[in-house]
Amino acid sequence: MDIDSQHRIEYNEIRTNLIILFIVAVSIVVGVALFLNARLDRFIAMNADLGKVINVAGRQRMLSQNISKTGLLIYYSDSLSIDRKKTIDSLSLIFAEAHRSLTGDNFAFHENKEQSTRLDSLFDELEISFQGLTSTAKSIAHSSPPSKQNAERLLAYESAFLPLMDEITNEYERLSSDVLDEIDSSTTLVNYAIAVSVLLSAITVLLVTLNAIKHYSVRLEEAREDLQKSVELEKLKAEKLEFLTNSIKVGIWEKSIHENTESWSDALYTLLGYKKGEISGTAESFIGLVHPADVPILMDSTDSSIKTGLPSTIEVRVKMKSGDYKWVEATGNTQRSENGKISLLIAGIVDIHDRKVLEMQLKAFIERAPASIAMFNKELRYIAASQKWVEEYNIQDQVIIGKSHYDIFPEVSDSWKDIHRKCLNGAVEMRDEDPFERADGTIQWLKWEVRPWYIDQDTVGGILMFTEDVTNNRLKKEELQKAKEVAEEASKAKEQFLATMSHEIRTPLNAINGITQILLLENPRFDQKEHLNLLKFSGESLLSLINDILDISKIEAGKLVLDYAPFDFFYLVNAIKSSLVFRAKENLVTVEVDYDKNLPHAFIGDDTRVTQVLYNLAGNAIKFTENGNVTISAKLVSRRDNFCKMRVSITDTGIGMSEEQQKGIFEAFSQAEGGTTRKYGGTGLGLYITRKILEMMGSEIQLQSKPGEGSTFFFDIELEETTLEVELTRKSVQKSKDFNGKDIHLLVAEDNTANQIIMKKFLKYVDVTFDIAANGLEAFDALQKKTYDLVLMDLQMPVMDGFTATIKIRGSADEYFQNIPIVALTADAFSNIREKTFAVGMTDYLSKPFKPADLYAIIEKYAGRVKKEMTMADSSLKSKIYELGEGDKEFVMEFSNNSMQNYTEFVSDLKKSIKERDLDLLHTIAHKIKSLNMLFELETLESKIDELKSHKASFFSETSLVEAILKEAGAVIEEIKNTILND
């Protein structure tokens, strides 16, 4: 008899008893009616609570069993399914809600303290089992793999939970029975009262009672219906839980020894392609579907689990309903009762067909691959290896599949084991070249890669290893490196040779061209001037040839670099026109400039190379034109931000060229035809150099020409417009600069006698005073004694070269030595002279041979930039002292000693005035030393002392000014001391 039927009988009995009670207890009237009404209310409440307890208790038992079952499925399948994890989480949530409902409600019939205490004790024990059951189930769901200990613990908690629930239910049933007994007792007493008053109130009581019975019968029926709905709701939840269980993709087979039942889950039927009922859900049926070759594997695995009690996992092929075989992973285990006997057999079946097929394909690919490849599982056991792997590692006589890599190669180093561990954790390691020493001592170079392979998106199944012998490639690379080094050495030797030869050729050429310039400036006779002009033309032609050859060498060596700086393009074009006027007149050619009025004047670029390009093109145009016109044109093409794209063209009305003659015109040593060289001269290098320079600037030289009509050479170039002030030397290359009255004093460091003579002539011609130093050491010593506006420093000199001398000069602490302009004089036009000179601290450089205008431009640019702080031109202190002595050595010695003492006392007293902040002492020593400063013309020192006094009370805080005065006074003391020692 179920609980619902039992409740229905109880309701009928109570209703009958109440009718009898009311018929008999007529005399109780209103009081008895109220009494019975109250007791009926309590009875209804108790019955409602009882229904809720039964409902919740029944659901708790079912939920605990489902949680345990799902947890065990996860454990015995040895794999964590997302669906099962969700099932555990869902069941645990429902279980927890029901538990809170059961333990949290304050039932109306907990009036018996003893019974209440028993229930509290049971609920405390139940709480422990509930917490253990849910936490253990979640641990199994979220652990990979689940532990056996957790599975046993889950069963233990479930075994404890169910009896507790039964005892709690029984306790409530006893409570219900006690309440009913109490009602029966009360009813008996009421019956006596009714018997006495039956005659007085029979009709009234009967009517009231019948009305009450009707009312409470309805209430009881409603309670019964509510209970029925609760039962149906729980049944629906149970069906949903069953549905969730069947939705898990892992097929389940279980056999209960105790209940003698055996079944498959719906998922297992679906996995094998069957519908429920088409095949019996037994172990025998499943074994019948296993591939005959895999049956022994299945039986051995089953026997192992039965004997050891541990789960075992195998991969077998199972025949589908369609007749095809599918790879599955089967995990089985057993459950034993307390007496050690098997009570449950369970197995989980997972579809691994796609992964297994892919693995087999990969294995087949590896085995047949023409490279050295091996595939390993997570224990580094061989799954597959290519034939080349076997051959290269000389393991043809071994069976390696299934064996550990470390057993096959016990000498594997710890570093390689670390690499394997990293890759098993998801890393990819590789080397393009790695040396390995063979047993015979030879070095083998290997390219290798180790990477993980995956069972699914996140699970590493093992690693793949790939190796390739690249020893030959390594040897070839080393040979290429050696060849490269030899070529670089040859290139360096070529560069050094050309640098040396350029210096050796250009140095005497400088003398020839320089002397020619000097002779032309000295008003020669007409016949002499003609010869000198021829000599000048020949020297310049030879220099141009040398420059072209060196430019080609720079281009081929990649040493030709562009030097970007602001320049005036408009001025540059017109300057080129002016420089070619005399050559143009010789050929009766008119040179014109057509400069676009919309084109700006100032740009950023390499003006030297732009000049070289335009000079070459315009010079060629004049050379190949007689009695015609040459036009240098610059037209704006487009603007983009601060950049202007312009077309620069040189058009002539000369001899022109045919299309055949134009071929190869821009190649080295190429001219239109052989006769051109004989008639017009030239080496055919200019246009080649022009093309290369323009290519470096991102442009391209182009040509339009017809025989007899002339030629147009043009190129498009984009330059950045600038608003910066452009430094230009706007003077004619034919006109000398007159520096008369500017008091410029130069130091020339030059060891070549001929170049010294030329330099003297050039400088005397413009009234510039100078001193000559024959080497770098003499130049350094001269700078210690005199003040110069500019140093012209030859680079290759005996005793001390120009580089070393410059480093030594710049190494001095005095600002004068740090800032004095030093311009290199070099005949080395090939090497990276600009970078070398700037690296040691030189200011600029001037290439030999140079024209007077080039020298004067350098002087005008740098002279007057710096003056030495202590004015001692030509050792002024020593000169002044000797001048005062007029040959009296005793006076010189005595005066020098007194002067040195005065300056020494000045330094000491100045320090004292600073320390004591004594302004009066400062004025006293300043007045005392002033006469000597004026005598020695030490205007800089005197002005600084006056400046210090002007600060008045705060003079002591002018630290930098005080240090400058002390430094300069110290230099005066040293100079006087040297005068004494020299005498």
Side-chain angles (χ1 to χ4, degrees), residues 528-645:
Q528 292 175 332
K529 187 174 183 179
E530 185 178 357
H531 294 153
L532 289 172
N533 281 329
L534 179 60
L535 181 62
K536 177 175 175 288
F537 175 77
S538 299
E540 291 177 348
S541 297
L542 180 58
L543 178 62
S544 177
L545 175 61
I546 294 171
N547 287 339
D548 284 347
I549 293 173
L550 293 175
D551 278 343
I552 289 177
S553 299
K554 288 180 185 179
I555 291 170
E556 291 178 348
K559 297 293 181 68
L560 188 67
V561 294
L562 300 178
D563 182 18
Y564 289 93
F567 74 100
D568 190 326
F569 187 56
F570 177 78
Y571 168 77
L572 185 147
V573 171
N574 283 280
I576 290 172
K577 171 191 173 182
S578 299
S579 67
L580 294 171
V581 166
F582 292 103
R583 288 177 58 181
K585 285 183 178 180
E586 292 176 357
N587 282 15
L588 302 177
V589 172
T590 300
V591 180
E592 297 177 347
V593 170
D594 181 11
Y595 196 93
D596 193 337
K597 64 180 181 180
N598 294 320
L599 188 65
H601 289 196
F603 294 96
I604 295 176
D606 190 331
D607 60 329
T608 301
R609 295 303 173 185
V610 172
T611 300
Q612 185 177 358
V613 167
L614 294 181
Y615 199 87
N616 277 343
L617 295 176
N620 279 347
I622 293 171
K623 180 167 63 175
F624 294 107
T625 302
E626 293 181 359
N627 194 16
N629 298 311
V630 171
T631 302
I632 305 173
S633 172
K635 298 290 185 181
L636 178 65
V637 176
S638 62
R639 281 180 178 271
R640 179 179 59 85
D641 297 330
N642 291 332
F643 289 86
C644 291
K645 185 176 183 180

Side-chain angles (χ1 to χ4, degrees), residues 290-354:
V290 176
H291 193 284
D294 296 339
V295 171
I297 300 173
L298 176 62
M299 301 309 296
D300 290 343
S301 175
T302 303
D303 292 342
S304 175
S305 292
I306 291 173
K307 290 177 181 179
T308 63
L310 298 174
S312 59
T313 301
I314 57 171
E315 295 177 354
V316 295
R317 289 162 289 178
V318 181
K319 182 182 287 186
M320 306 277 290
K321 180 181 179 181
S322 63
D324 298 327
Y325 278 96
K326 172 184 283 189
W327 280 98
V328 299
E329 182 182 81
T331 301
N333 204 356
T334 60
Q335 179 181 348
R336 298 178 183 272
S337 60
E338 293 181 357
N339 58 12
K341 293 183 179 181
I342 296 175
S343 59
L344 179 68
L345 295 173
I346 190 168
I349 315 299
V350 181
D351 184 353
I352 61 167
H353 188 74
D354 292 340

Side-chain angles (χ1 to χ4, degrees), residues 903 905-906 909-910 913 919-934 941-942 944-950 965:
Y903 277 103
E905 290 175 356
F906 170 78
D909 289 341
L910 177 60
S913 69
L919 181 60
D920 293 336
L921 178 58
L922 174 63
H923 281 284
T924 300
I925 62 175
H927 177 73
K928 184 178 178 180
I929 204 68
K930 183 173 184 178
S931 58
L932 279 178
N933 286 342
M934 300 303 293
L941 177 59
E942 184 61 28
K944 288 181 179 178
I945 295 173
D946 289 340
E947 183 182 353
L948 184 63
K949 290 191 298 180
S950 69
I965 294 172

Side-chain angles (χ1 to χ4, degrees), residues 740-759:
N740 187 27
K742 287 195 175 182
D743 190 24
I744 297 174
H745 196 60
L746 271 58
L747 175 61
V748 180
E750 173 64 72
D751 66 309
N752 186 280
T753 305
N755 286 336
Q756 288 179 0
I757 294 171
I758 294 168
M759 190 65 73

Side-chain angles (χ1 to χ4, degrees), residues 19 22 205-215:
I19 293 171
F22 284 117
V205 172
L206 178 60
L207 293 173
V208 173
T209 302
L210 288 175
N211 186 61
I213 289 172
K214 179 181 179 181
H215 173 72

